[in-house]
Amino acid sequence: MNAQDRRSRRNQSLKSRTLRLLAAALALSAAVSTPLGLAPQQASAAESKKVLTVAVAQSVDSLSPFLASRLVSTSIHRLMYEFLTNYDPKDAHPIPGLATKWTPSADKLTWTYTIRSDSKWSDGQQATAEDAAWTFNKMMTDEGAATSNGSYVGNFEKVTAPSPTQLVIKLKKPQATMAALDVPIVPKHIWEKVGDFSEFNNDKSFPIVGNGPFVLTDYKADSYVRLKANKNFWRGAPKFDELVFRYYKDQDAAVAALRKGEVSFVAGAPALTPAQAESLKGVKNIHVNEAPGRRFYALATNPGARAANGEKFGDGDPSLLDERVRHALFMAVDRTTLIDRVFQGHAVEGEGYIPPRFSTYFWKPSASQKLAYDPTKAAQLLDQAGYKKNGDGKRVGKDGKPITYRILCHATDPNDKAVGQYLQEWWGDLGIGVKLDCLDNVSDPWLAGTYDLAFDGWSVNPDPDFVLSIHTCGALPATPKDVGATDNFVCDKKYDDLYARQLAEYDPAERANIVKQMESRLYDLGYMNVMAYPNAVEAYRTDQIKSITTMPAKAGNIYGQDGYWSWWSAVPAAADSSSDDSSSTGVVAGTVGGLAVVVGAVVFFVMRRRASAEDRE
């Protein structure tokens, strides 16, 4: 019996139960009176709470802004804590955040920030320059605190707070990212009590004190994150009372929840598949938003995991240390086919490391440099590298054994599995085996270096410094037991030299030129094969969300923005008693008012139980 048959039979049973419960509700209503419950005004306030629920396909890695790296986690931290500066939602230029203005000295080695006096922590204490100074100093002196964002302070010499509204940062050399320090500022009086920053995940005591537009009030690992609106946020309170990020391991289940009104918004992993998006187009009360993405989708090779102390670890296949092998693998990937058949046109063919959405830094290889699809040449490169076929047509390693590469794959991302099947075919023609390791948690084997290749992808900020920094030698873990900021253990002196140059270059055009040289170097090394720039494809219910800000304003995304604009600006849709989705749990709005509400509550309960059961199927 299929799922639809099971639901049909269960629905008949549920109808019968509903009638019985309605009868019970009639009896119950006679006993309901104000003295036994909330006062009418109190009940109305409680029941009119507006909740925006976002379905996400990625679980939180840490609620500590010092440790988190996943998009869902960093997006939540933008809602919890202010940064010194923010990005304008229209065109992403720097605008005030916790700092109202920032001024460099003539030699650009000293930066003075004026900290606003109208920002308070959610426990009532004033947010001051001392909080910012403490945050940066902790990152400068504690390796655990520098795990996620240490690259931003690597060039800091000294950070002080001469007054509650003045922050002074002295640099070792000029740094072009001083208006783009994407570091959450935390309250000193809370975080100075933390012992081991490398172990503290900030997930045991709620609510969590912050000064952003939302306050995190509850969390359950691999399930949900709940936040409430910060009514005292200096920019103005959000329109929704609560914001919930609900984790769905199965993206189809998340889409089904959107259809049923259980969630207000679906982001995907990180985007909806073409089939999912197409199935939602034209559906009543659902809007599909598609825009050029800020992410790249890549295949990364294990270059030999190593720590900053020189110690090697992991078990990456040694053949991948040969640049010719890496180039051969990438020349056996038909990007055009992937765009047409996997992404079905909802992506742009990958080239450089930074997506074309950021036109200032977008780079593409020259015709002679490009590793274009050429299986014949790929086979020749493997032969030249000494990895020839045996009598069974299998490429063998230096140990005489057939080569089979393990590829780390995200179990929640259908694109990984689809692309993996093509790789099995294309690389199989080269005589190379492919084993897809699709896991819920790819972080552990990735950090341990126990993989050969891995599907990779990052959201790029308007200033690309961070995604450039994760391939520097300085991002490697201190020892094999530590966790560094590295993406893939890449360490190349020429790349590092270019990184240092771009960081110190204030001329926008020259800095962009250096960044493109870095992309060229990364491309030639062959450690990162950017296969596509996926569009941001997402959907939301218009009967729950009246309006919401995209970034950029024209043809922009909603989820995973460089800021908190979407969720802070979202306006709830007016309640419509005639709507087919009046029992929706995505946005709850109503008043307590006698029998109708009692009966409605029973129907809501039955429908909710049914929806939950169907999700489990």
Side-chain angles (χ1 to χ4, degrees), residues 59-248:
S59 60
V60 169
D61 55 343
S62 178
L63 288 180
S64 165
F66 297 100
L67 300 178
S69 62
R70 293 181 183 173
L71 178 61
V72 65
S73 308
T74 56
S75 296
I76 290 170
H77 289 141
R78 283 188 177 275
L79 301 172
M80 297 167 60
Y81 305 104
E82 272 282 37
F83 296 14
L84 286 182
T85 61
N86 210 324
Y87 297 102
D88 188 284
K90 295 181 180 179
D91 59 10
H93 75 270
I95 61 173
L98 184 60
T100 59
K101 63 179 181 179
W102 44 97
T103 307
S105 59
D107 61 4
K108 293 185 170 58
L109 291 177
T110 301
W111 285 72
T112 301
Y113 298 81
T114 300
I115 303 301
R116 65 176 59 258
S117 58
D118 57 353
S119 177
K120 287 188 175 182
W121 299 109
S122 53
D123 62 359
Q125 292 200 33
Q126 184 71 33
T128 70
E130 182 60 30
D131 294 304
W134 186 89
T135 299
F136 290 126
N137 278 306
K138 176 56 65 173
M139 293 167 59
M140 292 164 62
T141 58
D142 188 314
E143 288 185 359
T147 299
S148 291
N149 298 310
S151 64
Y152 288 111
V153 301
N155 184 43
F156 287 12
E157 182 176 296
K158 186 179 181 181
V159 183
T160 58
S163 77
T165 58
Q166 188 179 67
L167 176 73
V168 179
I169 300 178
K170 292 187 177 182
L171 306 173
K172 300 173 185 176
K173 55 186 177 182
Q175 181 169 325
T177 62
M178 298 306 288
L181 298 173
D182 293 331
V183 176
I185 304 301
V186 303
K188 174 186 176 182
H189 66 283
I190 299 296
W191 283 83
E192 64 183 353
K193 303 170 186 176
V194 175
D196 188 347
F197 274 72
S198 66
E199 297 291 337
F200 182 70
N201 280 310
N202 197 28
D203 58 0
K204 296 295 187 291
S205 179
F206 303 99
I208 295 175
V209 176
N211 64 340
F214 289 90
V215 178
L216 199 152
T217 59
D218 194 15
Y219 165 70
K220 183 177 180 181
D222 298 326
S223 183
Y224 65 83
V225 178
R226 187 181 301 277
L227 306 100
K228 70 175 182 179
N230 181 358
K231 301 299 183 182
N232 298 315
F233 183 51
W234 69 268
R235 202 184 288 273
K239 310 298 188 299
F240 278 89
D241 300 300
E242 283 191 355
L243 174 62
V244 178
F245 290 87
R246 185 181 298 169
Y247 171 66
Y248 285 84

Side-chain angles (χ1 to χ4, degrees), residues 2 6 116 141 189 194 200 216 267 291 295 344 396 416 438 446 467 469 484 486 498 506-507 520 536 539:
N2 60 32
R6 291 197 300 271
R116 65 176 59 258
T141 58
H189 66 283
V194 175
F200 182 70
L216 199 152
R295 294 180 65 82
Q344 296 180 30
V396 295
D416 284 6
C438 294
W446 202 317
V467 292
S469 73
T486 185
L498 289 169
Y506 279 92
D507 180 80
S520 177

Side-chain angles (χ1 to χ4, degrees), residues 531-596:
M531 297 181 288
Y533 308 114
N535 290 352
V537 187
E538 49 204 3
Y540 65 90
R541 295 197 65 93
T542 56
D543 57 346
Q544 298 180 16
I545 302 174
K546 179 180 179 181
S547 64
I548 193 165
T549 298
T550 60
M551 184 178 184
K554 295 182 179 179
N557 59 292
I558 295 171
Y559 177 73
Q561 293 182 356
D562 298 293
Y564 40 64
W565 309 112
S566 53
W567 314 125
W568 172 75
S569 71
V571 176
D576 182 0
S577 60
S578 65
S579 170
D580 293 336
D581 299 291
S582 59
S583 64
S584 165
T585 61
V587 177
V588 181
T591 58
V592 175
L595 173 62

